[in-house]
Amino acid sequence: MELGPYLILGLLEGLVTAAVLSLMALGLSLVFGVMRVVNVAHGEFFMVGAVLAWIIANAVDSHPAVNFLAALLLAPPATALLAAIADRLVLKRVAYDPERTIVATIGLLYIIQQVTLMTYGPDARPVEAPFNHRLSIPFVEWTESGMALYWPWGLGTTSYKLAVIGAAVLLLGAIWLLMTRTRIGLVMRATQLDSEMARAFAVPVDRVYAAVFGLGAGLAALAGVLIVPIQQAHYLMGHDPLLLSFIVVIIGGLGSLPGTVVAALLIGISDGMISVFFTPTLAKIIATLGVAFVLIFRPQGLFGRKGL
Amino acid sequence: MLNVENLSSGYGDIRVLHDVSFTVEGGEIVCLLGRNGAGKTTCLKTIMGLLRARSGSVTCGDVEVSRLPANEVPRHGIGYIPQGRRLFAELTVAENLEIGLMVRGKGRETRDRVLEMFPRLGERLNQRADTLSGGEQQMLATGRALCIEPSVLLLDEPTEGLQPSMIEQIRQAVTALRDRGVAILLVEQRVDAVLSIANRVVFLENGRSHPAIDAGELKTNPNLLHRFIGV
């Protein structure tokens, strides 16, 4: 196979990674942006989403599409509720102090992980995709009679992977509309900019924080549900996405939503490309190096504001 | 209208206000005067519930607001224009006003009245607050508080850093609100501005209040100003 088809394959795999990563990193970025909380347990909400998807799909036990739809509708709100309760029981009690919330969310990480291990077990378990047609992708070649299409061996994807990319685009658009066109979004942005003045204008900041923490966790869980037909649900599956999400929000700029999406695309596509041509480990090494360079030359990130 | 009684508060272990008491009636401007660090801003923040009162009470009408969470206080008609304006910098003029309108569910009529008072805001509705001039930002901070349709308005140094023409515009707006029956508590450093519009003056000295003095009496007895604020 020529280089071109490999590039397309890498781009497609990278877009799937970027789609899932952008949802997850957006949640992390929202929580930091509005609450100034670095949520180390964010990867566990991703894992809880995937594990709940498996539990729900097995409980429904119907057609794969019905099972998956039930998981997609129930797992993210359930995870969001769990996060909102954690906010009230833990983060509120440490008064959202930046240092203490880091320690508190590390504690949450281990509690969620160990409870999952004790109940769900150590096995990796799959959820069947609602649809999973193999799609071959054509490429162009020059023949004596001109340009012609051909189907290189190995160049293809699945309808489910394309659906994940489409779903992420729709969800990101929905979050953008929520933040910019609704009163809830206006209240969240006002709280992000000046929580004390938001209080002076009747914004129930504590409830906004619980909602934002829930929304952030819900987005991570959504990413977990979308990925579980591609990867299997496992109690340690939150680690890598957490690392990549931190890389994305640091490169994009902490608290910047457009920055998060652009950085997710950069990291996701480079991850896909480098994984296809070299190894996934090299992709992560390069992403981590990227963070180091951003921290040295542009500590506020590509789209972030100075002083954050 | 606003009754502050034996109010004490502070930051952490430091107590700033000690048994502060005064009242502000509807249609009256009461000015809090005092040296830097006397506790003027702390007093306004405590009235708004942004700092917890350690003892004493703040009553607005029949409601003891000092027992309420901070976000409930403005719903009882207390508007706040903080020192330095504290606008939501990245929100537009329209969005800043919307935040004010949401407090008591006010709508387009209220917004139109505010824009009538400050027509320049109407020309900049889609502009970000942090791109406005200092004077326009003060108009927006005032307009945002007026969107609550307050019965009590707290202003913390509203003329700070403004050019004379803008100060006059703010002065006219404040007196117009007083004439409409709003109770106004004003913190201001510029004594000439205070004496021109205040009905009564309350001096704060090291976090303690002195009984209110009629503003007319201060004009005839400048020794009092010298004693409390050194001018």
Side-chain angles (χ1 to χ4, degrees), chain A residues 217-297:
Chain A
L219 282 170
L222 203 51
V225 176
L226 288 175
I227 205 71
V228 81
I230 301 171
Q231 291 174 8
Q232 299 188 356
H234 183 255
Y235 81 106
L236 291 175
M237 71 185 291
H239 289 178
D240 274 1
L242 177 70
L243 173 71
L244 284 176
S245 297
F246 272 120
I247 288 173
V248 163
V249 293
I250 290 169
I251 290 178
L254 280 165
S256 162
L257 301 191
T260 302
V261 174
V262 171
L265 279 171
L266 273 176
I267 295 297
I269 291 172
S270 68
D271 189 90
M273 293 284 189
I274 297 166
S275 298
V276 165
F277 287 103
F278 303 99
T279 64
T281 308
L282 182 66
K284 286 187 182 58
I285 291 171
I286 289 176
T288 313
L289 271 177
V291 168
F293 280 114
V294 166
L295 287 175
I296 293 167
F297 295 109

Side-chain angles (χ1 to χ4, degrees), chain A residues 180 183-184 186-187 189-191 193-205 207 305, chain B residues 45 48 50 70-71 74-75 80 82 86 88-91 95 98-100 102-103 144-145 148:
Chain A
T180 58
R183 283 188 164 190
I184 295 169
L186 180 61
V187 162
R189 285 185 291 144
T191 307
L193 292 168
D194 189 336
S195 60
E196 186 181 63
M197 281 318 295
R199 267 198 182 94
F201 282 87
V203 173
V205 170
R207 266 188 272 163
R305 284 170 286 136
Chain B
K45 282 189 164 190
M48 287 306 297
L50 300 174
N71 62 292
R75 293 194 198 282
Y80 180 39
R86 302 271 298 268
F88 298 110
E90 290 178 19
L91 302 189
E95 288 171 331
E98 180 69 20
I99 291 281
M102 281 157 60
V103 173
R144 182 179 63 174
I148 296 176

